[in-house]
Amino acid sequence: MVFKLAAGYIALASLAGSVLGGATYTLSDSIVGNDFYTSFTFEAIPDPTDGDVTYVDMATAQSLNLTYATSDTFIMRADDTTVIATGAAGRNSVRIQSNNAYTTHVAVFDMQHMPQGCGTWPAVWESDTSNWPDGGEVDIVEGVNDVTPNQSTLHTSPDCEIPASGVDQLGTTVGTDCDATVNGNAGCGVQLTEDDNSFGPGFNNVGGGWYAIERTTDYISIWFWERGDTSAPTDATSGASTVDTSNWGTPAAYFPNTDCDLATHFDANNIIINLTFCGDWAGNSAVYAASGCPSTCTDYVNANPSAFTDAYFQFSSINIYE
Ligand SMILES: *[C@@H]1O[C@H](CO)[C@@H](O)[C@H](O)[C@H]1NC(C)=O
Ligand SMILES: *[C@@H]1O[C@H](CO)[C@@H](O)[C@H](O)[C@H]1NC(C)=O
Ligand SMILES: *[C@@H]1O[C@H](CO)[C@@H](O)[C@H](O)[C@H]1NC(C)=O
């Protein structure tokens, strides 16, 4: 017994050293199945990143079955039946933005599947698009063409940087200046190196998993646990009414406020989920070629609808805690 207590004390002490802070939060929004239709707005807008995509409104998405809900699941996909003529508007897809916006919060995304395929550029992110970049942007999970880099990234107004090293996170920092007005808006990013199943086909093969964000004025943390990971905290995975992030272990990505005043660089952010094709990142000719994908991005996406049968998000839930 004494030994157990001592071991417990050591474990707690080392945890406290590895994760700055951590706190208890209470469930404020639980979005499951048909709730996605009332908690999110479908945005039929042009893609600001020049993607080969046509974002459709909710009625169109439902009539084309690009979105589909049951009592416990929500699916959001791109068109996988239409051959697109050269020069015509891009492939139909969906972009949704939460009606609620959040400052200090935790969000847990329970995802069974994410879009895969050459040319796909899926993203789950938070931002205030009406005040960008001053209101900040956190890309929770984002990647292109099924492959690296899969990363979490901040995009902000000037004077926000993250440390190049010495950060207690599982991933690898790949850019330190979060300023969206420099480096072609690369932002400050952390590649999720700890788990090959964090993105694309690997993620889908294991039945997905959970991404979580904790945003405070002291830090922004991102965690990923794949389905079946026995170390995944049960409060996060069960949709508990409260969660305690101090028990969640070392995050995949950790953005401290050491060289960035998070309180002034981020305002209330909406959750945004979108699937575009090609565009500035996925369709960049060097990026596209390096991923081993055929043809050019636009030609491939236009000509091969059947390549996109797996280009869909499937969510079990999104739970937000404040
Ligand atoms: C899709 O998501 C990425 C997220 O990083 C963003 O850069 C891009 O502008 C988004 N496109 C649309 C239309 O929302
Ligand atoms: C709509 O999509 C869902 C999910 O993929 C599928 O189960 C359902 O059969 C589709 N409905 C129609 C009418 O195609
Ligand atoms: C995610 O990125 C890391 C670092 O580049 C890489 O090692 C890993 O294989 C990637 N995972 C996938 C599924 O692409």
Side-chain angles (χ1 to χ4, degrees):
M1 196 46 148
V2 170
F3 174 77
K4 268 191 163 171
L5 280 173
Y9 174 75
I10 289 163
L12 277 176
S14 65
L15 194 61
S18 67
V19 181
L20 257 184
T24 300
Y25 298 79
T26 302
L27 186 64
S28 55
D29 286 317
S30 179
I31 304 168
V32 180
N34 283 293
D35 300 339
F36 279 81
Y37 290 120
T38 50
S39 299
F40 284 88
T41 297
F42 285 56
E43 296 188 299
I45 58 168
D47 185 351
T49 46
D50 305 321
D52 294 318
V53 73
T54 301
Y55 286 124
V56 300
D57 62 22
M58 185 167 91
T60 307
Q62 288 177 313
S63 72
L64 296 176
N65 207 30
L66 299 182
T67 58
Y68 177 79
T70 66
S71 60
D72 62 1
T73 211
F74 178 74
I75 290 175
M76 181 173 130
R77 62 167 69 252
D79 168 278
D80 65 348
T81 57
T82 310
V83 174
I84 313 285
T86 303
R91 186 166 295 290
N92 282 343
S93 186
V94 180
R95 179 200 208 252
I96 59 175
Q97 172 167 315
S98 68
N99 296 326
N100 289 342
Y102 308 94
T103 54
T104 294
H105 71 288
V106 165
V108 181
F109 301 82
D110 184 346
M111 257 194 284
Q112 310 276 345
H113 194 277
M114 70 168 73
Q116 69 177 71
C118 284
T120 57
W121 175 0
V124 176
W125 50 302
E126 296 187 353
S127 187
D128 175 1
T129 52
S130 66
N131 184 30
W132 190 91
D134 294 347
E137 172 182 342
V138 186
D139 299 330
I140 297 164
V141 49
E142 182 178 21
V144 296
N145 303 324
D146 293 346
V147 290
T148 59
N150 53 82
Q151 62 183 52
S152 300
T153 311
L154 307 188
H155 303 269
T156 67
S157 52
D159 298 318
C160 175
E161 293 181 25
I162 60 169
S165 59
V167 178
D168 205 351
Q169 61 186 8
L170 300 174
T172 305
T173 300
V174 291
T176 57
D177 195 344
C178 311
D179 183 352
T181 66
V182 302
N183 302 327
N185 185 25
C188 54
V190 175
Q191 284 189 345
L192 273 53
T193 50
E194 87 280 14
D195 188 339
D196 278 351
N197 295 329
S198 63
F199 191 74
F203 180 90
N204 297 334
N205 288 342
V206 296
W210 298 266
Y211 272 91
I213 177 174
E214 179 186 14
R215 177 183 150 194
T216 75
T217 53
D218 293 327
Y219 58 86
I220 294 170
S221 291
I222 308 285
W223 287 267
F224 171 70
W225 305 283
E226 69 175 61
R227 193 83 47 203
D229 178 347
T230 52
S231 74
T234 52
D235 54 0
T237 60
S238 68
S241 56
T242 62
V243 292
D244 182 356
T245 57
S246 62
N247 297 324
W248 285 9
T250 305
Y254 183 77
F255 304 93
N257 70 345
T258 41
D259 298 300
C260 180
D261 182 2
L262 296 173
T264 56
H265 280 91
F266 286 84
D267 62 17
N269 281 3
N270 302 91
I271 296 168
I272 305 169
I273 303 166
N274 65 345
L275 167 58
T276 191
F277 292 99
C278 305
D280 298 341
W281 185 10
N284 172 289
S285 54
V287 171
Y288 185 76
S291 64
C293 287
S295 181
T296 67
C297 193
T298 300
D299 288 348
Y300 181 76
V301 169
N302 283 348
N304 294 287
S306 63
F308 303 105
T309 47
D310 286 321
Y312 67 93
F313 287 103
Q314 182 173 352
F315 286 93
S316 295
S317 62
I318 300 175
N319 288 321
I320 297 104
Y321 298 82
E322 291 176 282

